[in-house]
Structure formats: structure tokens, C-alpha cells
């Protein structure tokens, strides 16, 4: 049980009957990957991510007290259209946090949400979507109960709740870079919530991130199922050890502005993530032929030009191209002339490291 569990937050004690809150939260890209979990959404290793900016979710949450004594009344709209099929997943999450927020039982909730990126563009929406919802919920708590949080406490509680919804979501609300998972390499790190990684070199705060859409198919194996397969993966223990070693090597590189070390670790982590999928039982492959062509071309361009451009991958086929801001023009020309031809309908999303979540009017 956590220190966030608070049975006194009940609908009976709430001061308000209805209200509306709205937040924007971005997606994030892990440099050290979270892959493998246990217990109540606890990570097997510590992870670090870049907070993105252009890829984000906007969510509006309306709440109104009702007379029902049990069950959560919930409606979900995407871009103004009711999506009943998506509701059970969020209801399950809201029920799962009843120890933290017992008051949700007494309210009718309506969530209006929209992503900045096209649906099924192969971009994970759980990190931005879950964190946007958690931001709304913590603000709702504050409105109802008058709870006062410092900015840091507010974000930490948001992160705690986000983690319960989707692990990677707990890193999305912080500016620039965030870490999740207890490790000796970062003071204040925790398995329960993500923390901001302060003091990183400027080069990483303005890093560009281009998402190359190699494929738009729905994933054949969900991330949640992929994490579960780590429990029987013979390479798992070695993986968790290596993740911690990589974390230890990455931190000084982040402080010193060592892009080469950051890039090498990032590529290694991305390929390891997919190697773990390939060595699971049953094994599976999320990479597409075009993914491999894109990765090879990025490495060849780096070798030929000396431009410090690196790739990463999420649990899907779409490479993320990472490069310092100073090389953006050169890399954009390269993407246009060499890479877009291998993307689904020439699709690419331009993004960069960003400032984290923002409250919407
Ligand atoms: C590959 O956070 O989507 O993006 O906790 O089951 O919701 P759940 O999984 P999820 O895992 C995605 C992990 C990853 C790597 C990372 O973001 O660290």
C-alpha cells in the first residue's frame, strides 16, 4: 500500500457537486526501456525518457455527483464522438484506483479526449492519454477536497496514478527528461512514480525527434502482454542487469552533453527491446522490412557524414530519429530524400523534446 491511499477522500466529504478540468500531456520516448514488470505495476528495471511535445493528448474531464452508492458512471468521447468500446479499459483503471480515490464512486464522469497524432499511426497513446487523465483526476481531487500540493507534489501524485494506468505514462508529465524505477544511479528515484531528471545538458533539452511511420497496423501483441512474457524469458535477468548498467553509463552522458554515448546506449536499448520480443515464448516480431531499411540507412548516414543522428524504437515498427537541434536541417533533408520513401504513405511526425504537461483553459 502506498502513502497515497486515502480513505478519507470520499464523495460524502467532497465540497463540490460538479466541475470540469482539462489538461494536455505529451508522449515520451524511453532511452532506457521499461520492459518487464511485477506486483502492482512495478518496473523490473529503471527507465529514462525524453518528454516529447508535438505528440500529445488533450483531455477534458467533467464530473457531477450522483446518487448511486456504487460503481463508476463513465462516458468516453474521442474527438466529440462516443467510444463505448474503449470505455471498459478506463473504467477498469478507475476501479483499480479506488483505494486512492474512493470518491470516484459517487460521480458521473465524462472524458473528452483527442490525440494530436492520427489514430493508429502506430504511436503509443497510452502514455499521453493515461497521464492526461491522471492530471485531470488530481486536479479534480484538489477542487473537491481543497487539497494543497506544491507543483512537485502535484506532479508526483499524477505520476503515481499514471503508473497504475500504464507504466510508461508515469514519465510523461515532466519537462525534458524523466526517470522511473529505483536505482542507485539517481537520487530520489522510485518504483512508485517517475521523477524529473534535473541538470541535464542543454543539447538534450532541444533534441529533435522524427517519428518515421513504417507501418500503421495495430500491434499483434500488446505491450502489457509483452511485459508478461518477460516472466518466462530466459534472458530476463541479464536484461535487467544490463538496463541498470546502461542507466549508470547514460546519466553522466546526459549531464555532460555526450550525444555519442547517449545515442549508442539508446540504439542498443531499442534493439534489445525487440530482441527480447523475439526471444519470448511465444516469440514475436513487431519490426517490418522497412523498419530495418530505415535503421540501416540512419547508421550509414551517420557513418558517412559524422552527423550524430541515432534511432530508437518503441514497441512497434516505427523508428524515432534523434538528433541535436543544430543538425535539424541537414537531417530533415536526409529524411526527405532517403527515408520517406520507406514510410507508409511517406508519413513522418516531427517532434522534439518538450516541457511536459500543461493545463488547458
Ligand atoms: C516499450 O507502458 O505501454 O514503451 O505498463 O503495461 O501499460 P503497461 O506498458 P507500457 O509499456 C511500454 C514500454 C515501452 C518502453 C518504455 O516506454 O519504457
Amino acid at each position: 500500500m502506498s502513502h497515497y491511499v486515502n480513505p478519507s477522500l470520499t464523495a460524502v466529504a467532497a465540497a463540490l457537486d460538479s466541475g470540469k478540468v482539462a489538461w494536455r500531456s505529451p508522449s515520451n520516448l524511453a532511452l532506457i526501456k521499461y520492459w518487464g514488470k511485477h506486483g502492482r505495476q512495478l518496473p523490473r528495471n529503471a527507465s529514462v525518457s525524453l518528454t516529447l511535445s508535438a505528440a500529445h493528448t488533450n483531455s477534458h474531464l467533467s464530473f457531477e455527483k450522483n446518487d448511486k452508492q456504487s460503481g463508476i458512471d463513465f462516458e468516453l468521447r474521442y474527438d466529440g464522438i462516443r467510444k463505448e468500446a474503449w470505455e471498459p479499459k478506463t473504467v477498469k483503471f478507475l476501479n483499480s484506483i479506488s483505494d486512492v480515490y474512493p470518491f470516484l464512486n459517487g460521480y458521473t464522469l465524462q472524458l473528452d479526449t483527442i490525440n494530436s497524432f492520427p489514430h493508429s499511426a502506430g504511436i503509443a497513446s497510452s502514455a499521453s492519454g493515461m497521464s492526461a487523465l491522471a492530471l485531470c483526476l488530481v486536479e479534480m481531487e484538489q477542487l473537491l477536497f481543497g487539497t494543497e500540493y506544491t507543483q512537485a507534489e502535484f506532479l508526483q501524485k499524477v505520476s503515481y496514478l499514471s503508473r497504475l494506468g500504464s507504466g510508461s505514462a508515469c514519465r510523461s508529465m515532466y519537462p525534458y527528461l524523466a526517470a522511473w524505477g529505483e536505482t542507485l544511479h539517481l537520487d530520489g528515484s522510485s518504483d512508485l512514480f517517475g521523477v524529473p531528471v534535473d541538470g541535464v545538458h542543454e543539447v538534450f533539452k532541444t533534441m529533435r525527434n522524427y517519428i518515421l511511420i513504417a507501418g500503421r497496423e495495430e500491434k499483434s501483441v500488446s505491450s502489457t502482454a509483452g511485459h508478461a512474457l518477460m516472466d518466462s524469458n530466459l534472458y530476463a535477468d541479464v536484461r535487467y542487469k544490463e538496463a541498470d548498467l546502461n542507466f549508470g553509463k547514460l546519466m553522466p552522458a546526459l549531464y555532460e552533453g555526450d550525444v555519442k554515448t547517449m545515442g549508442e546506449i539508446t540504439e542498443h536499448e531499442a534493439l534489445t527491446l525487440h530482441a527480447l520480443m523475439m526471444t519470448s515464448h511465444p516469440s514475436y516480431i513487431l519490426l517490418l522490412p522497412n523498419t530495418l531499411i530505415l535503421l540501416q540507412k540512419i547508421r550509414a548516414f551517420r557513418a558517412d557524414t559524422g552527423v550524430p543522428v541515432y534511432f530508437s524504437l518503441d514497441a512497434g515498427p516505427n523508428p524515432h530519429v534523434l538528433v541535436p537541434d543544430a543538425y535539424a536541417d541537414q537531417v530533415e533533408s536526409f529524411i526527405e530524400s532517403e527515408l520517406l520513401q520507406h514510410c507508409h504513405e511517406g508519413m513522418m511526425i516531427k517532434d522534439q523534446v518538450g516541457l511536459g504537461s500543461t493545463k488547458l483553459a
Side-chain angles (χ1 to χ4, degrees), residues 30 34-35 37 41 126 166-168 171 223-224 227 273 314:
Y34 146 58
W35 201 242
K37 59 177 167 177
Q41 287 277 97
S126 71
S166 179
S168 56
R171 301 180 307 236
S223 286
T224 304
H227 286 288
L273 171 69
D314 266 333

Side-chain angles (χ1 to χ4, degrees), residues 9-47:
L9 295 183
T10 59
V12 181
L16 262 184
D17 277 354
S18 63
K20 192 167 182 175
V21 289
W23 284 85
R24 166 176 298 178
S25 195
S27 186
N28 69 76
L29 173 71
L31 305 178
I32 305 284
K33 304 292 183 187
Y34 146 58
W35 201 242
K37 59 177 167 177
H38 64 106
R40 190 179 178 189
Q41 287 277 97
L42 301 169
R44 289 283 183 193
N45 64 267
S47 56

Side-chain angles (χ1 to χ4, degrees), residues 103-123:
F103 64 85
L104 292 176
N105 255 327
Y107 282 82
T108 299
L109 303 175
Q110 194 180 65
L111 182 66
D112 267 281
T113 188
I114 185 160
N115 298 331
S116 62
F117 43 91
H119 184 60
S120 80
I123 297 180

Side-chain angles (χ1 to χ4, degrees), residues 117-289:
F117 43 91
H119 184 60
S120 80
I123 297 180
S125 57
S126 71
S128 55
M130 243 336 141
S131 53
L133 173 58
L135 285 151
C136 290
L137 290 172
V138 180
E139 197 194 343
M140 177 179 167
E141 175 208 326
Q142 290 190 295
L143 289 177
L144 290 179
F145 300 95
T147 331
E148 285 182 22
Y149 292 122
T150 62
Q151 164 88 343
E153 287 166 347
F154 176 81
L155 291 179
Q156 194 177 93
K157 184 149 190 184
V158 168
S159 180
Y160 176 88
L161 281 177
S162 303
R163 179 202 110 228
L164 295 175
S166 179
S168 56
C170 80
R171 301 180 307 236
S172 263
M173 61 292 305
Y174 295 112
Y176 309 126
L177 279 96
W180 170 41
E182 195 177 332
T183 167
L184 293 175
H185 304 298
L186 185 66
D187 288 345
S189 57
S190 169
D191 282 355
L192 299 178
F193 44 77
V195 295
V197 179
D198 295 325
V200 299
H201 193 277
E202 286 300 313
V203 71
F204 298 116
K205 296 184 180 176
T206 54
M207 204 85 182
R208 299 296 186 111
N209 175 64
Y210 303 89
I211 310 170
L212 305 171
I213 310 300
R216 292 184 66 170
E217 302 275 298
E218 194 77 11
K219 270 187 279 191
S220 55
V221 179
S222 72
S223 286
T224 304
H227 286 288
L229 289 173
M230 284 298 281
D231 294 344
S232 58
N233 190 316
L234 284 179
Y235 299 97
D237 286 342
V238 180
R239 156 62 192 158
Y240 303 138
K241 279 198 191 101
E242 197 194 33
D244 196 55
L245 287 174
N246 283 344
F247 199 115
K249 284 186 213 154
L250 179 65
M251 291 315 289
L254 293 177
Y255 297 131
E256 287 156 20
D258 179 351
V259 175
K260 183 169 185 279
T261 300
M262 184 280 314
E264 285 170 3
I265 293 172
T266 297
E267 289 194 352
H268 186 86
E269 281 284 316
L271 295 176
T272 300
L273 171 69
H274 285 267
L276 290 165
M277 296 174 191
M278 294 179 203
T279 52
S280 292
H281 293 282
S283 68
Y284 63 106
I285 301 173
L286 298 184
L287 303 179
L288 295 170

